Amino acid sequence: QVQLVESGGGSVQAGGSLRISCEVSRHPNSGYCLGWFRQAPGKEREGVATIRPEGGNTYYADSVKGRFTTARDNAENTVILQMNGLKPEDTATYYCATTHASFLGVCPTATPAYIYWGQGTQVTVAS
């Protein structure tokens, strides 16, 4: 059973920084894609960023480009989402998720492509 465990997040003032980690275990495929998603109360879940940990290919939504960075951590099975220049509109529950299949090149951005999900972690940005 694939397991994703998130840690980090929290509360910060606007302009501050937070980091979320996602530890992936027991994934059967090495070339999977990992996506970061967020969902604010009353809003649909939206994609924030994707990464193929094996190759490092990344994608960022326009709303976070230049402020958020996702990368594989020193631990081989951990990916981080570094969030700088946070804004109140970034307030949401953040989730990491992985595809089941392996991908070469660009990772999918559509939510249904992501099969395994973390438990979510809250990010709150005060104005």
Side-chain angles (χ1 to χ4, degrees), residues 18-82:
L18 288 171
R19 173 180 287 206
I20 303 172
S21 295
C22 179
E23 182 180 359
V24 182
S25 59
R26 295 194 289 271
H27 201 295
N29 300 312
S30 61
Y32 62 83
C33 285
L34 186 144
W36 293 98
F37 300 84
R38 66 186 182 187
Q39 188 164 22
K43 294 188 176 181
E44 291 188 359
R45 188 170 296 186
E46 64 168 332
V48 172
T50 67
I51 182 171
R52 192 166 67 87
E54 190 175 60
N57 312 66
T58 57
Y59 157 86
Y60 299 94
D62 287 343
S63 58
V64 305
K65 199 174 294 182
R67 300 187 297 123
F68 289 14
T69 302
T70 186
R72 195 169 74 180
D73 202 355
N74 289 333
E76 190 172 315
N77 60 343
T78 299
V79 175
I80 63 100
L81 180 69
Q82 177 67 40

Side-chain angles (χ1 to χ4, degrees), residues 74-124:
N74 289 333
E76 190 172 315
N77 60 343
T78 299
V79 175
I80 63 100
L81 180 69
Q82 177 67 40
M83 303 177 289
N84 299 327
L86 282 161
K87 305 175 182 180
E89 52 263 44
D90 294 319
T91 295
T93 301
Y94 283 70
Y95 299 88
C96 62
T98 73
T99 61
H100 176 77
S102 295
F103 285 82
L104 296 176
V106 178
C107 288
T109 56
T111 305
Y114 292 84
I115 307 302
Y116 309 108
W117 290 78
Q119 79 278 16
T121 188
Q122 180 65 34
V123 169
T124 302

